[in-house]
Amino acid sequence: MRDVAVIGIGMMKWGELWEKSLRTIFVEAALKAIDDAGVDHIDSMYVGCMSSGLFVGQEHLGALLADYLGVAPIPAVRVESACASGGAAFRQGFIEVASGMSEIVLVGGVEKMTDVTGGGATFALSTAADQEYEVYNGVTFPGLYAMMARAHMERYGTTRKQIAQVAVKNHENGCKNPHAQYQMKVTVDQVINSVMVADPLTILDCSPITDGAAAVVLCPLELAKKIAKKPIVKVAGSAAATDSIAIHQRKDITHLAAAEQAAKMAYKMANVGPSDIDLAEVHDCFTIAEICAIEALGFVERGKGGAATEAGETALGGRIPINTSGGLKSKGHPVGATGVAQICEIVTQLRNDAGERQVKGAKRGLAQNMGGTCASCTVHILEVV
Amino acid sequence: MRDVAVIGIGMMKWGELWEKSLRTIFVEAALKAIDDAGVDHIDSMYVGCMSSGLFVGQEHLGALLADYLGVAPIPAVRVESACASGGAAFRQGFIEVASGMSEIVLVGGVEKMTDVTGGGATFALSTAADQEYEVYNGVTFPGLYAMMARAHMERYGTTRKQIAQVAVKNHENGCKNPHAQYQMKVTVDQVINSVMVADPLTILDCSPITDGAAAVVLCPLELAKKIAKKPIVKVAGSAAATDSIAIHQRKDITHLAAAEQAAKMAYKMANVGPSDIDLAEVHDCFTIAEICAIEALGFVERGKGGAATEAGETALGGRIPINTSGGLKSKGHPVGATGVAQICEIVTQLRNDAGERQVKGAKRGLAQNMGGTCASCTVHILEVV
């Protein structure tokens, strides 16, 4: 396998984009990434998207978006792994370049979630869970993560304030990210006392419904060395893993086994460990998810995620800054785009382009993207060459 | 890139499988493929599926099906390219093995279409077309292909009888395939005089709504030589291409430009031409589609697809047997499964295991799978080592 580099990134302001359609926002992000890469063509394209069929009545996004980006007849295909669709699409792009099949590959992620017909966004999102055993019985995602939060509090003594602190931190970071949907600070009290969604999680523990897209351009490292105008970022590790889709089948619902497994393989491939990572973007679809994720990735001991967050270890300037972009919580969570946007943030940081939210001297970053309650997970490790 | 072989195939009887769910039929086909390959594990899995969200309210099939197949925590992801989802998934599996990332990869395709909630199967299928320009104005797939048929008749003098002959031939082949949904013969008169769907296409010109799954196992050719118990089939060519998603943007709606482009690249990779192919499975979602496909693939001259079919050139025993499995028309068309089932048929033929429908001395076969009105297309060339 050839070494692969990320040579272009493209992000846009996320939010409720009523005046733009799915194809418009994808093309906007893709053109930015192509422009940033400085390439005049792409050879192949991947689209990460969870549920455009249910959200906007449109499947076949590979062909549609290649057409609207003006790059047909190149190969273009959609990759889906629920909320990990972006990370999964990135992994396919990585494998295609590493294989030698293609030289310059665009990976975009997109989701248009606000103007939904049919069963609404909650139904569309619930299709990431087990339709026959979980959804049929009335559980939705806030409910599933609320059970994980309760179990974590019970087992490890994690407090409500510690969980809320994830939202406080991520909104603070998001205020420094011009692309973030909610650039506003929140306090622990505000989080705890906002509208209850699924006890103990309030609306400020939940990531929002978002329209958005993100894109990156990949090429062989050797080619990047010839054409790149910015610091070159290499894909040092790429891994994916799965777990039982329904949480009732797991031994321990506070533990994200697929994240641990994917991290183990990505660390091995990159020949590093958790302590070698300078910053990470993790999948905080709910506040409790970030706590479970930093434990599974090995940044903190099992059960200590809440305490570490409260102690500021994961804040900007802390031991291991987590979600400098604002995370899903503040930046927004257009599900299929999230995994690709995580890569954009890591590359921005490794290029030393993150402005106010820059992690000083960042040389190596990790992106963890998960689907459902972590029934699928991708982990990527990027480093400056 | 390493050479890659198909060492296992798994098919099931397709039809209206009211008593089985999506996960059940996928696992059935996957276990058959694993058993046929004689392997005791798989390293990674791809699922081709078009629209499980709209058909059965379930996305996240990679994780769900890895779980129910009992292979978690391996990587598992869904690939979607409308009705070319199966071919696209096969291509991703091929690239992953060729890259060296994994050794033994399962590729399955699945669709459960009969017990549909919500907008129904016609709406779900229409999401393969351009939602904003085609579907919004009321066009469905029979209508789009009917326009292509009318244009072909007008431009090339293709007759209604020639178009109907595709159905006659494919049903004749399907009678020899125990997995086919409709094992019954039809006559040209029956096709022409059956219920009108979209003039000139009647219901017997249309492929049916089907529940079904299919699976194959891939591994490096060198490994196949050590472990295979059956004739080894190598993936000699793999290509994918795209075209404008809406047919009103094409110069010539009788020409499948993406199929021609993908075929060109696949022939180049395999270092062969159309005359070196012994048999092909092509995407006959409607009778007219087969006529356009055999022209785009170079098996017959442009405009001569109807005449060649009428002359028996594409029948079993003809110059270039097309759709010996019965094709989508008789075997059924569970959209995400179709592209994988095409690979199963080619491998069956190349192993000389096709019984009554065997093409004598078949050494090299081609599978062409397309999405929508060929806005996306994959072409694979397989040959006996």
Side-chain angles (χ1 to χ4, degrees), chain B residues 64-232:
Chain B
L64 175 84
L65 298 172
D67 184 9
Y68 276 80
L69 184 57
V71 295
I74 68 163
V77 75
R78 171 181 163 216
V79 175
E80 184 265 319
S81 191
C83 310
S85 297
F90 181 77
R91 182 169 153 82
Q92 293 308 127
F94 165 74
I95 293 173
E96 179 159 340
V97 175
S99 76
M101 174 68 86
S102 297
E103 298 299 297
I104 304 177
V105 174
L106 181 113
V107 180
V110 65
E111 209 85 48
K112 192 79 173 69
M113 302 170 74
T114 51
D115 43 357
V116 185
T117 54
T122 300
F123 175 72
L125 290 169
S126 79
T127 63
D130 189 322
Q131 179 64 31
E132 295 182 15
Y133 289 91
E134 293 180 319
V135 186
Y136 180 80
N137 288 297
V139 190
T140 58
F141 273 96
L144 290 166
Y145 276 97
M147 287 190 264
M148 293 159 73
R150 277 274 165 238
H152 206 283
M153 293 166 86
E154 179 70 24
R155 178 177 294 228
Y156 298 114
T158 302
T159 68
R160 183 66 190 88
K161 282 189 177 179
Q162 290 170 348
I163 294 173
Q165 183 58 33
V166 172
V168 173
K169 168 183 71 70
N170 289 353
H171 274 276
E172 209 160 294
N173 291 346
C175 286
K176 296 169 180 153
N177 181 357
H179 295 124
Q181 180 172 12
Y182 291 117
Q183 298 173 38
M184 61 177 198
K185 290 189 183 178
V186 298
T187 65
V188 166
D189 279 352
Q190 282 173 330
V191 175
I192 295 176
N193 296 313
S194 63
V195 174
M196 181 59 69
V197 177
D199 196 359
L201 303 178
T202 67
I203 198 158
L204 286 177
D205 287 287
C206 307
S207 59
I209 299 292
T210 312
D211 299 329
V216 300
V217 176
L218 296 167
C219 77
L221 181 61
E222 292 311 310
L223 179 61
K225 285 178 180 168
K226 285 179 202 151
I227 65 174
K229 293 177 197 79
K230 299 190 175 174
I232 297 170

Side-chain angles (χ1 to χ4, degrees), chain A residues 167-168 171-173 175-176 182-187 190:
Chain A
V168 174
H171 274 275
E172 209 161 294
N173 291 345
C175 286
K176 296 170 180 153
Y182 291 116
Q183 299 173 36
M184 61 178 198
K185 289 189 185 180
V186 297
T187 65
Q190 283 174 328

Side-chain angles (χ1 to χ4, degrees), chain A residues 260-284:
Chain A
E260 186 182 45
Q261 168 72 8
K264 208 173 85 180
M265 293 188 296
Y267 288 137
K268 191 178 166 192
M269 185 169 167
N271 200 25
V272 297
S275 60
D276 300 309
I277 304 295
D278 298 320
L279 81 157
E281 291 283 300
V282 313
H283 196 97
D284 60 321

Side-chain angles (χ1 to χ4, degrees), chain B residues 319-365:
Chain B
R319 180 171 62 82
I320 170 77
I322 300 290
N323 285 328
T324 55
S325 69
L328 288 56
K329 184 66 205 77
S330 159
K331 187 180 55 191
H333 183 27
V335 285
T338 286
V340 182
Q342 290 179 327
I343 303 291
C344 291
E345 175 68 11
I346 300 292
V347 171
T348 303
Q349 289 279 356
L350 298 185
R351 285 176 175 179
N352 201 27
D353 277 346
E356 271 192 281
R357 63 183 196 282
Q358 181 64 47
V359 175
K360 283 190 188 118
K363 297 292 176 210
R364 187 180 292 114

Side-chain angles (χ1 to χ4, degrees), chain A residues 1 21 23 46 50-51 53-54 56-61 63-64 66-68 72-82 88 91-92 94-96 99-101 123 127-133 240-242 244-245 249 261 371-372 375-376, chain B residues 1 21 23 46 50-51 53-54 56-61 63-64 66-68 72-82 88 91-92 94-96 99-101 123 127-133 240-242 244-245 249 261 371-372 375-376:
Chain A
M1 288 173 62
S21 72
R23 63 190 76 183
Y46 288 90
M50 174 183 165
S51 195
L54 288 166
V56 295
Q58 178 75 67
E59 309 281 10
H60 211 185
L61 292 191
L64 175 84
D67 183 8
Y68 275 80
I74 67 164
V77 75
R78 171 181 163 215
V79 176
E80 185 266 319
S81 191
R91 182 169 153 81
Q92 293 308 127
F94 165 74
I95 293 173
E96 180 160 340
S99 76
M101 174 67 85
F123 175 72
T127 63
D130 190 321
Q131 178 65 31
E132 295 182 15
Y133 290 91
T242 49
S244 67
I245 188 161
Q249 289 183 313
Q261 168 72 8
S376 67
Chain B
M1 289 173 61
S21 71
R23 62 190 77 184
Y46 288 90
M50 172 181 166
S51 194
L54 287 166
V56 297
Q58 177 74 66
E59 309 280 11
H60 211 183
L61 293 191
L64 175 84
D67 184 9
Y68 276 80
I74 68 163
V77 75
R78 171 181 163 216
V79 175
E80 184 265 319
S81 191
R91 182 169 153 82
Q92 293 308 127
F94 165 74
I95 293 173
E96 179 159 340
S99 76
M101 174 68 86
F123 175 72
T127 63
D130 189 322
Q131 179 64 31
E132 295 182 15
Y133 289 91
T242 49
S244 66
I245 189 161
Q249 290 184 311
Q261 168 72 7
S376 66

Side-chain angles (χ1 to χ4, degrees), chain A residues 101-118:
Chain A
M101 174 67 85
S102 296
E103 297 299 298
I104 304 176
V105 174
L106 181 113
V107 180
V110 66
E111 210 84 49
K112 191 79 173 69
M113 302 170 74
T114 49
D115 43 358
V116 185
T117 55

